């Protein structure tokens, strides 16, 4: 009798296959039909990743070395203030990034390294971050949620590998959440409706081609949250009327009640 090597089994179990176009369409329709509104409710520490510079000092206070890191794309590295409660701790993370990557141009593929993504540490594109947060006036590198930056989220009951806007996919673990920004809901709803109407295919409506790599990537910014991340960082919020209207077409109509049987007519 043959058996799988433990490593082979772990590799197979660890990462489900990426959703194809039809399955991706189905889960996005479920996101709109069953998703609920959640909004940020905690401050974060954040650093703009256009160019990081860091100096190491000697014990006498003189500059010993200078390092800098350049980033191909403008992004923010964001830190959970529960895990990194002080500016001092957050600076240590930035120092570690700069020490490891000093003198290098950081490209998009490099951003999957543990230094840029992990528990309590994540990345956001410049436009998305600045739409989600606003600076706290009296706290350096600290931002508070923008009340208008709500999400529609859906908890998944099993791990799912979703397409993303960069090359590759992202595995949302069981108990984690799919999420889309409220501002993106009407466009996604229109794309899904065009598929339903037979005007286009799921492939054409939900995917595009990355200009640099030439690879197929997701057209819409639907992303994943780790299990319990939503509850720890968001609170339930009401959605805008236009968001509810866009989602309404995908909500299942309640089952019709059976017609009452008429009894024999009275003589």
């Amino acid at each position: 009798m043959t058996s799988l090597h433990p490593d082979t089994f772990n590799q197979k179990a660890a990462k489900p296959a990426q959703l194809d176009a039809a399955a991706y369409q189905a889960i996005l329709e479920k996101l709109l039909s069953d998703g609920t509104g959640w909004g940020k409710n905690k401050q974060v520490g954040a650093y703009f990743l256009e160019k990081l510079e860091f100096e190491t000092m000697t014990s006498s206070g003189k500059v010993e070395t200078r390092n800098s890191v350049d980033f191909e794309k403008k992004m923010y590295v964001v830190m959970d203030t529960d895990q990194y409660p002080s500016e001092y701790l957050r600076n240590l993370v930035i120092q570690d990034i700069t020490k490891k990557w000093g003198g290098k141009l950081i490209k998009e593929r490099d951003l999957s390294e543990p230094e840029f993504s992990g528990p309590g540490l994540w990345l956001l594109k410049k436009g998305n971050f600045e739409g989600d947060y606003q600076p706290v006036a009296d706290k350096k590198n600290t931002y508070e949620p923008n009340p208008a930056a709500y999400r529609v989220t859906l908890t998944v009951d099993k791990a799912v590998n979703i397409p993303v806007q960069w090359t590759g996919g992202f595995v949302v673990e069981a108990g984690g959440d799919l999420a889309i920004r409220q501002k993106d809901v009407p466009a996604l709803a229109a794309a899904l409706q065009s598929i339903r109407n037979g005007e286009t295919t799921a492939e054409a409506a939900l995917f595009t081609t990355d200009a640099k790599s030439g690879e197929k990537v997701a057209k819409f910014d639907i992303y994943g949250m780790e299990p319990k991340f939503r509850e720890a960082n968001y609170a339930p919020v009401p959605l805008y009327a236009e968001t509810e209207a866009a989602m309404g077409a995908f909500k299942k109509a309640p089952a019709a009640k059976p017609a009452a049987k008429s009894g024999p007519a009275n003589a």
Side-chain angles (χ1 to χ4, degrees), residues 164-219:
V164 288
Q165 290 189 305
W166 59 94
T167 53
F170 182 85
V171 176
V172 186
E173 300 295 343
D177 291 270
L178 288 176
I180 182 172
R181 288 173 176 81
Q182 182 168 213
K183 66 181 177 62
D184 296 329
V185 168
L188 174 62
L192 291 170
Q193 192 62 55
S194 70
I195 302 169
R196 282 188 169 189
N197 295 344
E199 298 164 7
T200 186
T201 64
E203 191 80 28
L206 302 177
F207 294 89
T208 188
T209 301
D210 182 79
K212 289 189 177 179
S213 69
E215 295 183 33
K216 183 177 76 172
V217 295
K219 186 177 289 185

Short mmCIF file of all heavy atoms in Angstrom, two decimals, residues 164-219:
data_model
loop_
_atom_site.label_atom_id
_atom_site.label_comp_id
_atom_site.label_asym_id
_atom_site.label_seq_id
_atom_site.Cartn_x
_atom_site.Cartn_y
_atom_site.Cartn_z
N VAL A 164 -6.50 37.79 -7.65
CA VAL A 164 -6.23 39.13 -7.13
C VAL A 164 -5.72 40.03 -8.24
O VAL A 164 -5.51 39.58 -9.36
CB VAL A 164 -5.23 39.07 -5.95
CG1 VAL A 164 -5.87 38.49 -4.71
CG2 VAL A 164 -3.99 38.27 -6.35
N GLN A 165 -5.49 41.30 -7.92
CA GLN A 165 -5.09 42.27 -8.94
C GLN A 165 -3.59 42.24 -9.25
O GLN A 165 -3.13 42.98 -10.10
CB GLN A 165 -5.52 43.67 -8.53
CG GLN A 165 -7.03 43.85 -8.58
CD GLN A 165 -7.45 45.28 -8.39
OE1 GLN A 165 -7.09 45.93 -7.42
NE2 GLN A 165 -8.20 45.80 -9.34
N TRP A 166 -2.85 41.42 -8.53
CA TRP A 166 -1.46 41.19 -8.89
C TRP A 166 -1.35 39.74 -9.34
O TRP A 166 -2.31 38.97 -9.24
CB TRP A 166 -0.53 41.50 -7.72
CG TRP A 166 -0.78 40.70 -6.48
CD1 TRP A 166 -0.19 39.53 -6.10
CD2 TRP A 166 -1.72 41.02 -5.43
NE1 TRP A 166 -0.68 39.10 -4.91
CE2 TRP A 166 -1.62 39.99 -4.46
CE3 TRP A 166 -2.60 42.06 -5.21
CZ2 TRP A 166 -2.38 39.98 -3.29
CZ3 TRP A 166 -3.37 42.05 -4.06
CH2 TRP A 166 -3.25 41.02 -3.12
N THR A 167 -0.19 39.35 -9.85
CA THR A 167 -0.05 37.98 -10.36
C THR A 167 -0.12 36.99 -9.21
O THR A 167 0.42 37.21 -8.14
CB THR A 167 1.29 37.83 -11.11
OG1 THR A 167 2.35 38.27 -10.26
CG2 THR A 167 1.28 38.68 -12.38
N GLY A 168 -0.80 35.88 -9.45
CA GLY A 168 -0.98 34.87 -8.42
C GLY A 168 -2.37 34.94 -7.83
O GLY A 168 -3.28 35.54 -8.40
N GLY A 169 -2.56 34.33 -6.67
CA GLY A 169 -3.85 34.34 -6.00
C GLY A 169 -3.65 34.58 -4.52
O GLY A 169 -2.53 34.76 -4.04
N PHE A 170 -4.77 34.60 -3.77
CA PHE A 170 -4.70 34.79 -2.33
C PHE A 170 -5.66 33.81 -1.68
O PHE A 170 -6.82 33.73 -2.05
CB PHE A 170 -5.09 36.22 -1.95
CG PHE A 170 -4.99 36.49 -0.47
CD1 PHE A 170 -3.78 36.87 0.09
CD2 PHE A 170 -6.10 36.35 0.35
CE1 PHE A 170 -3.68 37.11 1.45
CE2 PHE A 170 -6.01 36.59 1.72
CZ PHE A 170 -4.79 36.97 2.27
N VAL A 171 -5.15 33.05 -0.70
CA VAL A 171 -5.98 32.06 -0.01
C VAL A 171 -6.65 32.72 1.20
O VAL A 171 -5.98 33.22 2.10
CB VAL A 171 -5.15 30.85 0.45
CG1 VAL A 171 -6.03 29.88 1.25
CG2 VAL A 171 -4.55 30.13 -0.75
N VAL A 172 -7.98 32.73 1.19
CA VAL A 172 -8.76 33.18 2.33
C VAL A 172 -9.07 31.94 3.16
O VAL A 172 -9.73 31.01 2.68
CB VAL A 172 -10.06 33.87 1.89
CG1 VAL A 172 -10.78 34.46 3.10
CG2 VAL A 172 -9.78 34.95 0.85
N GLU A 173 -8.57 31.89 4.39
CA GLU A 173 -8.73 30.70 5.21
C GLU A 173 -10.18 30.55 5.68
O GLU A 173 -10.94 31.52 5.75
CB GLU A 173 -7.81 30.78 6.43
CG GLU A 173 -6.32 30.89 6.10
CD GLU A 173 -5.78 29.65 5.43
OE1 GLU A 173 -6.44 28.59 5.49
OE2 GLU A 173 -4.69 29.73 4.83
N ALA A 174 -10.55 29.32 6.00
CA ALA A 174 -11.89 29.06 6.53
C ALA A 174 -12.12 29.93 7.76
O ALA A 174 -11.27 30.01 8.65
CB ALA A 174 -12.02 27.58 6.90
N GLY A 175 -13.27 30.60 7.80
CA GLY A 175 -13.56 31.52 8.90
C GLY A 175 -13.08 32.93 8.63
O GLY A 175 -13.39 33.85 9.39
N GLY A 176 -12.32 33.11 7.55
CA GLY A 176 -11.90 34.45 7.13
C GLY A 176 -13.00 35.10 6.29
O GLY A 176 -14.09 34.55 6.13
N ASP A 177 -12.69 36.26 5.75
CA ASP A 177 -13.72 37.01 5.03
C ASP A 177 -13.24 37.48 3.67
O ASP A 177 -12.07 37.85 3.51
CB ASP A 177 -14.11 38.25 5.84
CG ASP A 177 -14.86 37.90 7.10
OD1 ASP A 177 -16.10 37.82 7.04
OD2 ASP A 177 -14.22 37.69 8.15
N LEU A 178 -14.16 37.47 2.72
CA LEU A 178 -13.99 38.21 1.47
C LEU A 178 -14.45 39.64 1.73
O LEU A 178 -15.38 39.86 2.51
CB LEU A 178 -14.86 37.62 0.37
CG LEU A 178 -14.46 36.28 -0.24
CD1 LEU A 178 -15.51 35.86 -1.24
CD2 LEU A 178 -13.10 36.37 -0.89
N ALA A 179 -13.81 40.61 1.08
CA ALA A 179 -14.21 42.00 1.30
C ALA A 179 -14.06 42.81 0.02
O ALA A 179 -13.18 42.55 -0.80
CB ALA A 179 -13.34 42.62 2.41
N ILE A 180 -14.94 43.79 -0.11
CA ILE A 180 -14.86 44.76 -1.20
C ILE A 180 -15.21 46.12 -0.62
O ILE A 180 -16.08 46.23 0.26
CB ILE A 180 -15.82 44.40 -2.36
CG1 ILE A 180 -15.68 45.41 -3.51
CG2 ILE A 180 -17.26 44.29 -1.90
CD1 ILE A 180 -16.44 45.02 -4.77
N ARG A 181 -14.53 47.15 -1.08
CA ARG A 181 -14.86 48.50 -0.62
C ARG A 181 -16.22 48.92 -1.15
O ARG A 181 -16.57 48.62 -2.29
CB ARG A 181 -13.77 49.48 -1.06
CG ARG A 181 -12.48 49.31 -0.29
CD ARG A 181 -11.35 50.17 -0.82
NE ARG A 181 -10.17 50.01 0.02
CZ ARG A 181 -9.31 48.99 -0.06
NH1 ARG A 181 -9.50 48.05 -0.97
NH2 ARG A 181 -8.27 48.92 0.75
N GLN A 182 -16.94 49.63 -0.33
CA GLN A 182 -18.30 50.04 -0.69
C GLN A 182 -18.33 50.80 -2.02
O GLN A 182 -19.23 50.60 -2.84
CB GLN A 182 -18.88 50.90 0.43
CG GLN A 182 -20.30 51.35 0.18
CD GLN A 182 -20.96 51.95 1.41
OE1 GLN A 182 -22.16 51.78 1.55
NE2 GLN A 182 -20.23 52.62 2.26
N LYS A 183 -17.33 51.64 -2.24
CA LYS A 183 -17.30 52.44 -3.47
C LYS A 183 -17.19 51.58 -4.72
O LYS A 183 -17.54 52.03 -5.82
CB LYS A 183 -16.14 53.45 -3.42
CG LYS A 183 -14.76 52.83 -3.45
CD LYS A 183 -13.67 53.87 -3.37
CE LYS A 183 -12.28 53.26 -3.33
NZ LYS A 183 -11.94 52.47 -4.53
N ASP A 184 -16.70 50.34 -4.59
CA ASP A 184 -16.51 49.47 -5.75
C ASP A 184 -17.71 48.56 -6.03
O ASP A 184 -17.73 47.85 -7.04
CB ASP A 184 -15.26 48.59 -5.55
CG ASP A 184 -13.98 49.42 -5.47
OD1 ASP A 184 -13.94 50.49 -6.11
OD2 ASP A 184 -13.04 49.00 -4.78
N VAL A 185 -18.69 48.57 -5.12
CA VAL A 185 -19.82 47.64 -5.26
C VAL A 185 -20.65 47.89 -6.52
O VAL A 185 -20.96 46.95 -7.25
CB VAL A 185 -20.70 47.67 -3.99
CG1 VAL A 185 -22.03 46.96 -4.23
CG2 VAL A 185 -19.96 47.02 -2.83
N PRO A 186 -21.04 49.14 -6.84
CA PRO A 186 -21.88 49.33 -8.03
C PRO A 186 -21.24 48.82 -9.32
O PRO A 186 -21.92 48.20 -10.15
CB PRO A 186 -22.09 50.85 -8.07
CG PRO A 186 -21.98 51.28 -6.64
CD PRO A 186 -20.90 50.40 -6.07
N ALA A 187 -19.93 49.03 -9.48
CA ALA A 187 -19.26 48.57 -10.71
C ALA A 187 -19.21 47.05 -10.76
O ALA A 187 -19.41 46.44 -11.82
CB ALA A 187 -17.85 49.16 -10.80
N LEU A 188 -18.95 46.40 -9.62
CA LEU A 188 -18.94 44.94 -9.58
C LEU A 188 -20.35 44.40 -9.88
O LEU A 188 -20.50 43.45 -10.65
CB LEU A 188 -18.47 44.44 -8.22
CG LEU A 188 -18.56 42.92 -8.02
CD1 LEU A 188 -17.67 42.18 -9.03
CD2 LEU A 188 -18.21 42.52 -6.60
N ALA A 189 -21.37 45.01 -9.28
CA ALA A 189 -22.73 44.56 -9.51
C ALA A 189 -23.10 44.68 -10.99
O ALA A 189 -23.74 43.78 -11.56
CB ALA A 189 -23.70 45.37 -8.66
N ALA A 190 -22.68 45.77 -11.63
CA ALA A 190 -22.96 45.96 -13.06
C ALA A 190 -22.28 44.88 -13.90
O ALA A 190 -22.86 44.36 -14.85
CB ALA A 190 -22.53 47.35 -13.49
N ALA A 191 -21.02 44.54 -13.53
CA ALA A 191 -20.29 43.51 -14.28
C ALA A 191 -20.97 42.15 -14.12
O ALA A 191 -21.13 41.41 -15.10
CB ALA A 191 -18.85 43.44 -13.79
N LEU A 192 -21.37 41.82 -12.90
CA LEU A 192 -22.04 40.54 -12.67
C LEU A 192 -23.39 40.49 -13.38
O LEU A 192 -23.78 39.44 -13.93
CB LEU A 192 -22.22 40.31 -11.17
CG LEU A 192 -20.93 40.07 -10.37
CD1 LEU A 192 -21.21 40.09 -8.88
CD2 LEU A 192 -20.28 38.75 -10.77
N GLN A 193 -24.09 41.60 -13.42
CA GLN A 193 -25.38 41.64 -14.10
C GLN A 193 -25.21 41.47 -15.61
O GLN A 193 -26.02 40.81 -16.27
CB GLN A 193 -26.10 42.96 -13.81
CG GLN A 193 -27.56 42.98 -14.24
CD GLN A 193 -28.39 41.94 -13.51
OE1 GLN A 193 -28.42 41.90 -12.27
NE2 GLN A 193 -29.06 41.07 -14.26
N SER A 194 -24.12 42.02 -16.14
CA SER A 194 -23.87 41.87 -17.58
C SER A 194 -23.62 40.40 -17.95
O SER A 194 -23.97 39.96 -19.05
CB SER A 194 -22.69 42.74 -18.02
OG SER A 194 -21.46 42.25 -17.53
N ILE A 195 -23.02 39.65 -17.01
CA ILE A 195 -22.82 38.21 -17.25
C ILE A 195 -24.18 37.51 -17.22
O ILE A 195 -24.50 36.69 -18.09
CB ILE A 195 -21.88 37.61 -16.18
CG1 ILE A 195 -20.53 38.32 -16.16
CG2 ILE A 195 -21.69 36.11 -16.43
CD1 ILE A 195 -19.66 37.96 -14.97
N ARG A 196 -24.99 37.84 -16.22
CA ARG A 196 -26.32 37.24 -16.10
C ARG A 196 -27.17 37.49 -17.34
O ARG A 196 -27.94 36.64 -17.77
CB ARG A 196 -27.04 37.81 -14.88
CG ARG A 196 -26.61 37.24 -13.55
CD ARG A 196 -27.52 37.76 -12.45
NE ARG A 196 -27.34 37.05 -11.19
CZ ARG A 196 -28.15 37.20 -10.14
NH1 ARG A 196 -29.20 38.01 -10.22
NH2 ARG A 196 -27.93 36.52 -9.03
N ASN A 197 -27.01 38.70 -17.90
CA ASN A 197 -27.81 39.08 -19.07
C ASN A 197 -27.30 38.48 -20.36
O ASN A 197 -27.90 38.67 -21.42
CB ASN A 197 -27.84 40.60 -19.21
CG ASN A 197 -28.55 41.28 -18.06
OD1 ASN A 197 -29.28 40.64 -17.32
ND2 ASN A 197 -28.34 42.58 -17.90
N GLY A 198 -26.15 37.78 -20.30
CA GLY A 198 -25.59 37.18 -21.51
C GLY A 198 -24.86 38.17 -22.40
O GLY A 198 -24.55 37.86 -23.55
N GLU A 199 -24.58 39.36 -21.87
CA GLU A 199 -23.90 40.39 -22.67
C GLU A 199 -22.40 40.15 -22.75
O GLU A 199 -21.72 40.65 -23.66
CB GLU A 199 -24.15 41.77 -22.05
CG GLU A 199 -25.62 42.16 -22.03
CD GLU A 199 -25.90 43.32 -21.09
OE1 GLU A 199 -24.92 43.90 -20.57
OE2 GLU A 199 -27.08 43.67 -20.89
N THR A 200 -21.85 39.41 -21.80
CA THR A 200 -20.42 39.13 -21.77
C THR A 200 -20.19 37.84 -21.00
O THR A 200 -21.13 37.23 -20.48
CB THR A 200 -19.65 40.30 -21.12
OG1 THR A 200 -18.23 40.07 -21.24
CG2 THR A 200 -19.99 40.46 -19.65
N THR A 201 -18.94 37.42 -20.91
CA THR A 201 -18.59 36.21 -20.17
C THR A 201 -17.97 36.59 -18.83
O THR A 201 -17.52 37.72 -18.62
CB THR A 201 -17.57 35.37 -20.95
OG1 THR A 201 -16.35 36.14 -21.08
CG2 THR A 201 -18.09 35.01 -22.33
N ALA A 202 -17.96 35.63 -17.90
CA ALA A 202 -17.31 35.87 -16.61
C ALA A 202 -15.83 36.19 -16.80
O ALA A 202 -15.27 37.04 -16.11
CB ALA A 202 -17.49 34.64 -15.71
N GLU A 203 -15.21 35.51 -17.75
CA GLU A 203 -13.79 35.74 -18.03
C GLU A 203 -13.55 37.19 -18.43
O GLU A 203 -12.63 37.86 -17.94
CB GLU A 203 -13.34 34.80 -19.15
CG GLU A 203 -11.84 34.74 -19.38
CD GLU A 203 -11.13 33.85 -18.38
OE1 GLU A 203 -11.74 32.90 -17.88
OE2 GLU A 203 -9.96 34.14 -18.11
N ALA A 204 -14.37 37.72 -19.33
CA ALA A 204 -14.18 39.07 -19.83
C ALA A 204 -14.59 40.13 -18.81
O ALA A 204 -13.96 41.19 -18.72
CB ALA A 204 -14.98 39.27 -21.12
N ALA A 205 -15.62 39.86 -18.03
CA ALA A 205 -16.15 40.86 -17.10
C ALA A 205 -15.34 40.96 -15.82
O ALA A 205 -15.27 42.04 -15.21
CB ALA A 205 -17.60 40.54 -16.75
N LEU A 206 -14.71 39.86 -15.38
CA LEU A 206 -14.09 39.83 -14.06
C LEU A 206 -12.57 39.80 -14.08
O LEU A 206 -11.94 39.92 -13.03
CB LEU A 206 -14.60 38.61 -13.28
CG LEU A 206 -16.12 38.54 -13.09
CD1 LEU A 206 -16.51 37.26 -12.39
CD2 LEU A 206 -16.63 39.77 -12.33
N PHE A 207 -11.98 39.65 -15.28
CA PHE A 207 -10.52 39.57 -15.38
C PHE A 207 -9.99 40.58 -16.39
O PHE A 207 -10.71 41.04 -17.28
CB PHE A 207 -10.08 38.16 -15.80
CG PHE A 207 -10.37 37.11 -14.77
CD1 PHE A 207 -11.59 36.44 -14.77
CD2 PHE A 207 -9.45 36.79 -13.78
CE1 PHE A 207 -11.88 35.48 -13.82
CE2 PHE A 207 -9.72 35.83 -12.82
CZ PHE A 207 -10.95 35.17 -12.84
N THR A 208 -8.73 40.91 -16.23
CA THR A 208 -8.05 41.78 -17.18
C THR A 208 -6.61 41.28 -17.33
O THR A 208 -6.22 40.30 -16.68
CB THR A 208 -8.09 43.25 -16.72
OG1 THR A 208 -7.57 44.09 -17.76
CG2 THR A 208 -7.27 43.46 -15.45
N THR A 209 -5.82 41.94 -18.16
CA THR A 209 -4.42 41.55 -18.37
C THR A 209 -3.50 42.59 -17.76
O THR A 209 -3.65 43.79 -18.00
CB THR A 209 -4.12 41.41 -19.87
OG1 THR A 209 -5.00 40.43 -20.43
CG2 THR A 209 -2.67 40.97 -20.09
N ASP A 210 -2.58 42.12 -16.91
CA ASP A 210 -1.61 43.03 -16.32
C ASP A 210 -0.70 43.60 -17.41
O ASP A 210 -0.12 42.85 -18.21
CB ASP A 210 -0.76 42.29 -15.27
CG ASP A 210 0.22 43.20 -14.58
OD1 ASP A 210 -0.18 43.94 -13.68
OD2 ASP A 210 1.42 43.17 -14.96
N ALA A 211 -0.57 44.92 -17.44
CA ALA A 211 0.17 45.58 -18.53
C ALA A 211 1.63 45.19 -18.55
O ALA A 211 2.24 45.11 -19.62
CB ALA A 211 0.03 47.10 -18.39
N LYS A 212 2.22 44.93 -17.38
CA LYS A 212 3.66 44.62 -17.33
C LYS A 212 3.95 43.15 -17.54
O LYS A 212 4.81 42.78 -18.34
CB LYS A 212 4.25 45.09 -15.99
CG LYS A 212 4.35 46.61 -15.88
CD LYS A 212 5.12 47.00 -14.63
CE LYS A 212 5.30 48.52 -14.55
NZ LYS A 212 6.04 48.91 -13.34
N SER A 213 3.23 42.30 -16.81
CA SER A 213 3.55 40.86 -16.88
C SER A 213 2.84 40.15 -18.01
O SER A 213 3.26 39.09 -18.44
CB SER A 213 3.16 40.19 -15.55
OG SER A 213 1.75 40.17 -15.41
N GLY A 214 1.73 40.74 -18.49
CA GLY A 214 0.93 40.07 -19.51
C GLY A 214 0.09 38.93 -18.96
O GLY A 214 -0.55 38.22 -19.72
N GLU A 215 0.06 38.78 -17.62
CA GLU A 215 -0.69 37.68 -17.01
C GLU A 215 -2.12 38.12 -16.69
O GLU A 215 -2.39 39.31 -16.48
CB GLU A 215 0.01 37.20 -15.74
CG GLU A 215 1.38 36.58 -16.01
CD GLU A 215 2.03 36.05 -14.75
OE1 GLU A 215 1.29 35.60 -13.86
OE2 GLU A 215 3.26 36.10 -14.65
N LYS A 216 -3.01 37.14 -16.62
CA LYS A 216 -4.41 37.41 -16.27
C LYS A 216 -4.51 37.72 -14.78
O LYS A 216 -3.98 36.99 -13.93
CB LYS A 216 -5.27 36.19 -16.61
CG LYS A 216 -6.76 36.39 -16.34
CD LYS A 216 -7.56 35.18 -16.76
CE LYS A 216 -7.41 34.05 -15.77
NZ LYS A 216 -8.33 32.92 -16.05
N VAL A 217 -5.21 38.81 -14.44
CA VAL A 217 -5.40 39.20 -13.05
C VAL A 217 -6.86 39.63 -12.85
O VAL A 217 -7.59 39.85 -13.82
CB VAL A 217 -4.47 40.37 -12.64
CG1 VAL A 217 -3.01 39.95 -12.70
CG2 VAL A 217 -4.71 41.60 -13.52
N ALA A 218 -7.27 39.73 -11.60
CA ALA A 218 -8.63 40.15 -11.29
C ALA A 218 -8.84 41.61 -11.65
O ALA A 218 -7.95 42.44 -11.46
CB ALA A 218 -8.92 39.92 -9.81
N LYS A 219 -10.03 41.93 -12.15
CA LYS A 219 -10.34 43.31 -12.53
C LYS A 219 -10.76 44.14 -11.32
O LYS A 219 -10.47 45.33 -11.25
CB LYS A 219 -11.46 43.30 -13.56
CG LYS A 219 -11.78 44.67 -14.14
CD LYS A 219 -12.86 44.60 -15.22
CE LYS A 219 -12.34 43.93 -16.48
NZ LYS A 219 -13.33 43.95 -17.60
#
